[in-house]
């Protein structure tokens, strides 16, 4: 079960975040939040080239250095694409990067249907880390992972899982049985998926689905369809809009991912609804009713990463990354550029979770075994290196 020759740093052969067209788009105030048009295509000449992180004493990358050089197809679990850091997993629906020393990238990768969690990375083979009991009903299962704020000391990991009776947050350490942290999140025939994100202040942010009941998203007494903010024991975090409530914002349906800036000053959540897919800027105590951007063609938005001047959103249905340029005030400043779709970079099929490792590096997981067209090395964890954006309103 291999992903190819071992190496100290993968030669990333794709640009995950494309350079956007110069200049900011101007919108009418009444349609800025919901306007959508097909993204312009990038030519091969304009597609950006990857810029690898500077790693001291790292040898020059071997093998293909751009998408113009064909990469041999996978052979069993061996994948010759050096951006691939783990292979032969099942529906990678949750990722939690571990602290990096700059010489390697490691992460915990969770399988939605099996509940297995693996330690994966650029410097070795995958290792099973934990096995969580879960019921993969509809889109539920294991859909979120996050490290404890004090992971270096306690080794604790939080997970969002579907059980026979509810959706819940549990915590676990390697070799230990999981313990419930927040239980009773409504479960239904659909919209059970959730997402986790460690807060910069030591809290834990939890995005919950509406369990197939859109009215629950607006009900302040329900934990469904919300962004929750809790402490590590599962209690409402200090500073919440309502002191005795875990609810931080409301109005979600089937959230795919949470992401923020490093300091937590800007928070995003992706969501799929019957009308459209959307990404929201989350504000404390506010209803998620005015998206920062919508996709009327519903590409199946999933994870996200805030690159400061660009917001990257992975998609399950379209199987690409949608890159939204951001202005200095954090508003979306233009149409999304498409990457990782086979035309603008290497295609990997259905992309589920997406999580930042550092300011310039992220990992993404594929879910091709869940409705896609898997290759022999699927499902995979892929390393992504961001590219500088132009036309984002930044100097």
């Amino acid at each position: 079960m291999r992903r190819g020759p071992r190496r100290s740093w993968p030669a990333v052969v794709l640009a995950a975040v494309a350079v956007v067209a110069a200049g900011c788009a101007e919108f009418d105030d009444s349609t800025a939040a919901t306007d959508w048009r097909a993204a312009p295509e990038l030519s091969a000449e304009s597609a950006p080239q990857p810029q690898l992180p500077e790693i001291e004493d790292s040898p020059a990358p071997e093998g293909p250095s751009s998408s113009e050089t064909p990469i041999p197809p996978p052979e069993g679990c061996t994948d010759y694409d050096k951006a691939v850091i783990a292979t032969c997993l099942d529906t990678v629906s949750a990722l939690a990067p571990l602290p990096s020393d700059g010489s390697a990238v490691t992460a915990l990768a969770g399988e939605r249907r099996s509940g297995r969690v693996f330690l994966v990375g650029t410097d070795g083979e995958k290792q099973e880390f934990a096995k969580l009991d879960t019921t993969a009903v509809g889109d539920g299962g294991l859909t979120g992972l996050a490290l404890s704020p004090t992971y270096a000391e306690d080794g604790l990991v939080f997970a969002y899982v579907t059980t026979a009776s509810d959706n819940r947050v549990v915590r676990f350490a390697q070799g230990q049985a999981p313990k419930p942290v927040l239980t009773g999140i409504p479960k239904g025939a659909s919209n059970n998926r959730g997402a986790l994100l460690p807060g910069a202040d030591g809290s834990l942010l939890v995005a919950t689905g509406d369990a197939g009941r859109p009215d629950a998203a607006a009900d302040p007494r329900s934990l469904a369809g919300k962004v929750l903010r809790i402490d590590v024991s599962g209690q409402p975090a200090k500073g919440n809009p309502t002191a005795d409530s875990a609810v931080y914002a409301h109005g979600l349906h089937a959230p795919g991912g949470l992401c923020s800036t490093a300091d937590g000053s800007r928070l995003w959540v992706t969501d799929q609804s019957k009308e459209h897919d959307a990404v929201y800027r989350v504000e404390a105590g506010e209803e998620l009713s005015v998206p920062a951007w919508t996709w009327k063609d519903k590409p199946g938005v999933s994870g996200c990463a805030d690159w400061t001047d660009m917001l990257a959103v992975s998609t399950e249905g379209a199987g690409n990354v949608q890159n939204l340029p951001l202005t200095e005030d954090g508003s979306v400043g233009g149409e999304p550029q498409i990457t990782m779709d086979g035309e603008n970079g290497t295609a990997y099929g259905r992309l589920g979770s997406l999580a930042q490792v550092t300011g310039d590096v992220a990992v993404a997981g594929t879910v091709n075994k869940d409705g896609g067209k898997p290759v022999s090395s699927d499902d995979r964890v892929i390393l992504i290196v961001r590219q500088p954006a132009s036309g984002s309103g930044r100097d």
Side-chain angles (χ1 to χ4, degrees), residues 204-264:
L204 182 66
L205 295 158
V206 185
T208 70
D210 66 14
R213 292 181 50 219
D215 59 313
D219 184 351
R221 299 166 298 177
S222 174
L223 296 178
K226 307 295 192 299
V227 175
L228 309 175
R229 183 172 171 269
I230 59 176
D231 61 24
V232 294
S233 64
Q235 297 302 308
K238 293 181 179 179
N240 277 1
T242 302
D244 60 349
S245 172
V247 176
Y248 191 71
H250 63 281
L252 292 176
H253 301 288
L258 284 162
C259 60
S260 71
T261 51
D263 62 1

Side-chain angles (χ1 to χ4, degrees), residues 318-346:
N320 57 32
V321 175
Q322 308 261 338
N323 306 287
L324 294 162
L326 301 176
T327 61
E328 288 186 350
D329 66 358
S331 302
V332 174
E335 297 180 350
Q337 288 282 342
I338 311 300
T339 53
M340 295 176 68
D341 63 347
E343 295 182 12
N344 304 301
T346 305

Side-chain angles (χ1 to χ4, degrees), residues 335-395:
E335 297 180 350
Q337 288 282 342
I338 311 300
T339 53
M340 295 176 68
D341 63 347
E343 295 182 12
N344 304 301
T346 305
Y348 296 98
R350 294 168 58 85
L351 296 173
S353 52
L354 178 66
Q356 283 178 257
V357 180
T358 67
D360 293 317
V361 181
V363 284
T366 70
V367 289
N368 289 316
K369 290 181 179 176
D370 189 5
K373 297 179 180 179
V375 298
S376 67
S377 60
D378 273 327
D379 272 309
R380 296 170 282 177
V381 178
I382 303 152
L383 191 70
I384 297 173
V385 177
R386 80 174 296 276
Q387 294 299 297
S390 64
S392 60
R394 298 177 63 87
D395 293 333

Side-chain angles (χ1 to χ4, degrees), residues 55-355:
I55 298 182
E56 206 169 301
D57 299 325
S58 178
E62 301 175 358
S65 60
S66 78
S67 58
E68 296 176 359
T69 304
I71 300 172
E75 295 181 358
C77 291
T78 298
D79 199 306
Y80 297 101
D81 184 340
K82 294 181 182 180
V84 174
I85 67 172
T87 64
C88 288
L89 294 162
D90 181 45
T91 59
V92 185
S93 55
L95 287 166
L98 273 63
S100 174
D101 61 5
S103 62
V105 173
T106 55
L108 296 177
E111 298 178 333
R112 182 179 72 84
R113 296 181 293 194
S114 72
R116 295 185 300 175
V117 179
F118 288 90
L119 179 65
V120 303
T122 59
D123 58 354
E125 302 295 332
K126 66 177 184 284
Q127 303 173 27
E128 186 163 333
F129 186 88
K131 174 69 168 65
L132 307 179
D133 291 332
T134 186
T135 303
V137 175
D139 57 353
L142 168 57
T143 58
L145 287 171
L147 301 186
S148 161
T150 53
Y151 178 81
E153 291 78 35
D154 56 34
L156 288 175
V157 182
F158 293 87
Y160 191 91
V161 297
T162 305
T163 72
S165 59
D166 65 359
N167 292 296
R168 61 177 58 185
V169 178
V170 300
R171 70 183 182 196
F172 63 95
Q174 188 172 20
Q176 297 182 10
K179 297 181 179 180
V181 173
L182 179 63
T183 62
I185 301 170
K187 170 192 172 186
S190 64
N191 294 4
N192 293 303
R193 62 193 293 176
L196 300 178
L197 181 71
D201 58 1
S203 64
L204 182 66
L205 295 158
V206 185
T208 70
D210 66 14
R213 292 181 50 219
D215 59 313
D219 184 351
R221 299 166 298 177
S222 174
L223 296 178
K226 307 295 192 299
V227 175
L228 309 175
R229 183 172 171 269
I230 59 176
D231 61 24
V232 294
S233 64
Q235 297 302 308
K238 293 181 179 179
N240 277 1
T242 302
D244 60 349
S245 172
V247 176
Y248 191 71
H250 63 281
L252 292 176
H253 301 288
L258 284 162
C259 60
S260 71
T261 51
D263 62 1
S265 61
R266 195 163 64 204
L267 175 63
W268 308 91
V269 64
T270 66
D271 192 32
Q272 300 179 27
S273 69
K274 184 180 295 185
E275 295 78 21
H276 54 240
D277 287 359
V279 61
Y280 295 92
R281 176 90 174 264
V282 182
E283 302 289 350
E286 297 297 321
E287 180 182 5
L288 300 168
S289 58
V290 181
W293 193 263
T294 59
W295 290 265
K296 294 179 181 178
D297 61 345
K298 301 177 65 175
V301 295
S302 187
C304 62
D306 188 322
W307 298 118
T308 304
D309 57 355
M310 183 168 290
L311 182 69
V313 178
S314 58
T315 66
E316 297 171 335
N320 57 32
V321 175
Q322 308 261 338
N323 306 287
L324 294 162
L326 301 176
T327 61
E328 288 186 350
D329 66 358
S331 302
V332 174
E335 297 180 350
Q337 288 282 342
I338 311 300
T339 53
M340 295 176 68
D341 63 347
E343 295 182 12
N344 304 301
T346 305
Y348 296 98
R350 294 168 58 85
L351 296 173
S353 52
L354 178 66

